[in-house]
Structure formats: C-alpha cells, structure tokens
Amino acid sequence: MITFSPLTPLFGIETADVDLSQPLSDTDFKAIEQAFYAHQVLALRGQRITAAQFAAFARRIGPPQPHVIDQFHHPEDADILILSNVKKDGQPTGLQDAGSYFHTDYSYLAQPARATTLYSRVVPKVGGDTLFANQIAAYEDLPEAMKRRIEPLLAIHHYGNRNDVNQASRTAASVLSAEQEAKMPVITHRIARAHPVTGRKALYAVSGSSFGIVGMPDDEARDLLDELAAHATQAKYQLRFKYGVGDVVVWDNAALLHSATLIDPDDARTLWRITMLETASEAAAPSVLAPTFAS
Ligand code: SIN
C-alpha cells in the first residue's frame, strides 16, 4: 500500500513509500501511474538508484527519447541527460541552466513528451527548485470567448525560447551545435490540446517553443501567445518543487509548463533527466480515460 500526500491543494503528490532500487510490482506501478496522471507532478522521495534502475523505471512510463544535446548523455545510458553546473578539470560535466524559462519538454517535436523524470543527485545550498504551472486549471479559468477563439488555433513551434533568443543569456534555450540544430523541425500543436491519456483539455506550450500561430500575422500571434502565457504562469497555478538528495520527480508535459530556477553557478547542482514520448497513436488520436484515480 503506497500512501501519497499532496504537494499543493491544486496539484502534485509525493510519497516516501517507494524504493526504485527494488523490483516494483505491476500493482504498485499502476498505483504510481494513476497518481501521476491524476496529480500531474509525482515525487518519489529519497531514492538511491543506479542509472540502470532509473532508466528501467522511466521506460515503464513511456518510450524514452534521448535529448538532442548528446554531449551530456550519461555514459551508461544515452537516454539519461546529465543536468549539472559542476565542472571537472575545467570542463562541464552536464548541461547548465537547462530550461530556465516556462516551457514544455519536446513541444518542438511532432511527437512530444508525455513525461519527464529527474533524479536529484546533488542539491545546492540555496535554491535549485523547479517551478510547475498547471495548464488544465489555466485553460479551465479562461473566459468562454477566449476558449472559443483559441479552439481552432495551431501554434507554430520550433526549438527555442520565444522570449529570449540571445544565446549568451542564461534564460535562453540551451544552445545547439549546427548539426543538432539541423535535426530540429518546425511543427504545429493545438493551443488548446486534449490530454492524450486523460482527455482533459489544457493550454499547451504557450510559453517556450511557440513562436507563431498558423494563419495569423506574427505580431498578433505573439501578442495572443504572450497574453496566454501571462495568464497561464500566474502564481495561483504554480507549484515550487524543492529537492532533497535522491528525490525522483515525474511530471506530465501535456498538463504543465515548468521552469528551472537560476542559482549561483558555483553552488553545485546535479540531476539526471529522462524524457519519455507520447506514443504515435496517442499524439494522433487522443483517447479519453475517466480519471478515477484515488490519492
Ligand atoms: C528542465 O527543464 O528539464 C530542467 C528543470 C530543472 O533543472 O529544474
């Protein structure tokens, strides 16, 4: 029996009852998965796991997709991206300041991310929290006229941060090599998007990789995306997640925006990250599952 506690009244749930270094029964995994889809952010506190154990857990949630920034893949498993500000012999050991702006993982891919999981290895002395913003609640609170306006709209996405394209900035998207950039497509996603598993509608990636709207002049599209992003990232929709060493957190990319928070670059912080894709059939034809999950 796994006991979960809420992280906030609106969303997020945590438990200290799961040990990912031990085999996880199908029954326990189902309970975890249901809690995850019902509460969008799930924290499994205090793990001590290997790269293989972390990857095995992630693969039960969905098919992992290695990050395009391949220079920081974990040496034992390329599905793991190392996020770190720690340097060894003057060289970075991981990707620093990844995603320090509200965004949705892999929203720049046609088949976007279902979930992302982070395993916290080194926690800084100050800060290093991740912010999440609940896009189901943000969508539901929109005036009906705005819901009708955005219903048919497709946002144009590509890799990057619409609000900061200065590559020297710590709040720009992590810089790609020319070869990595060449792999990045320009694609579209609905702005009001039904969740591929639960069917619940949410604002989707209105901050981050959305740079325009199909059929709309650029300035008008940007104004609308900025208006939606300002609404969707209000404090009332946010959860601030504080890491302890060993915490594994999993979040639902179809239901949330998230942002890293900048810290002193000399205050060590290291996490391992795996991002799992939606399946092709989910992305094409969302199914509606009644969320009958108990917490
Ligand atoms: C990310 O956006 O994947 C990184 C989140 C974090 O480092 O807090």
Side-chain angles (χ1 to χ4, degrees):
M1 182 71 186
I2 304 172
T3 303
F4 296 99
S5 319
L7 287 166
T8 71
L10 182 60
F11 70 116
I13 201 164
E14 65 178 327
T15 181
D17 292 349
V18 174
D19 179 353
L20 295 178
S21 72
Q22 300 301 314
L24 191 62
S25 69
D26 287 344
T27 306
D28 281 353
F29 179 73
K30 198 84 210 150
I32 289 172
E33 192 179 41
Q34 289 187 339
F36 165 68
Y37 283 120
H39 299 277
Q40 297 91 38
V41 177
L42 167 75
L44 306 175
R45 298 285 189 183
Q47 306 298 315
R48 283 173 71 93
I49 49 175
T50 62
Q53 287 164 338
F54 182 46
F57 171 64
R59 285 190 191 105
R60 288 176 83 168
I61 301 168
Q65 173 69 28
H67 199 276
V68 64
I69 298 187
D70 47 8
Q71 62 271 38
F72 296 121
H73 288 175
H74 192 288
E76 289 172 33
D77 192 323
D79 288 337
I80 300 174
L81 176 71
I82 300 172
L83 305 181
S84 184
N85 55 7
V86 175
K87 292 197 170 56
K88 197 170 169 209
D89 303 326
Q91 297 302 314
T93 60
L95 185 61
Q96 185 175 341
D97 298 334
S100 298
Y101 55 95
F102 275 107
H103 67 285
T104 300
D105 287 336
Y106 293 1
S107 52
Y108 49 83
L109 300 182
Q111 204 167 312
R114 166 186 293 180
T116 301
T117 179
L118 292 183
Y119 174 35
S120 172
R121 310 264 307 163
V122 178
V123 176
K125 292 184 199 69
V126 180
D129 313 331
T130 306
L131 303 177
F132 297 96
N134 187 319
Q135 300 304 286
I136 298 172
Y139 173 78
E140 286 173 355
D141 285 352
L142 285 173
E144 289 305 316
M146 180 60 96
K147 285 186 185 161
R148 280 195 298 277
R149 182 174 179 207
I150 63 174
E151 182 59 27
L153 298 181
L154 290 169
I156 301 166
H157 294 260
H158 58 79
Y159 183 92
N161 172 12
R162 174 173 88 246
N163 288 318
D164 190 352
V165 292
N166 172 5
Q167 296 201 338
S169 163
R170 291 181 72 189
T171 56
S174 303
V175 178
L176 303 183
S177 67
E179 196 184 332
Q180 290 163 346
E181 215 163 288
K183 294 182 187 156
M184 293 292 97
V186 175
I187 49 93
T188 62
H189 291 297
R190 289 198 170 282
I191 290 177
R193 185 170 186 264
H195 191 285
V197 175
T198 66
R200 293 183 74 182
K201 207 167 263 187
L203 282 173
Y204 185 72
V206 290
S207 174
S209 68
S210 46
F211 281 79
I213 296 175
V214 173
M216 197 178 278
D218 281 350
D219 52 352
E220 196 185 325
R222 199 177 165 118
D223 284 352
L224 177 55
L225 289 168
D226 287 349
E227 181 183 343
L228 291 168
H231 165 76
T233 55
Q234 291 175 82
K236 65 180 175 182
Y237 301 127
Q238 287 189 25
L239 178 171
R240 173 179 284 272
F241 186 79
K242 291 184 181 303
Y243 295 90
V245 173
D247 290 349
V248 166
V249 63
V250 194
W251 67 84
D252 181 340
N253 282 292
L256 303 172
L257 287 166
H258 67 280
S259 174
T261 48
L262 293 176
I263 58 165
D264 174 354
D266 294 325
D267 195 357
R269 178 182 194 255
T270 299
L271 305 103
W272 292 350
R273 175 181 132 159
I274 303 180
T275 301
M276 293 74 80
L277 294 182
E278 293 179 2
T279 62
S281 57
E282 281 171 0
S287 63
V288 179
L289 282 188
T292 54
F293 314 124
S295 57

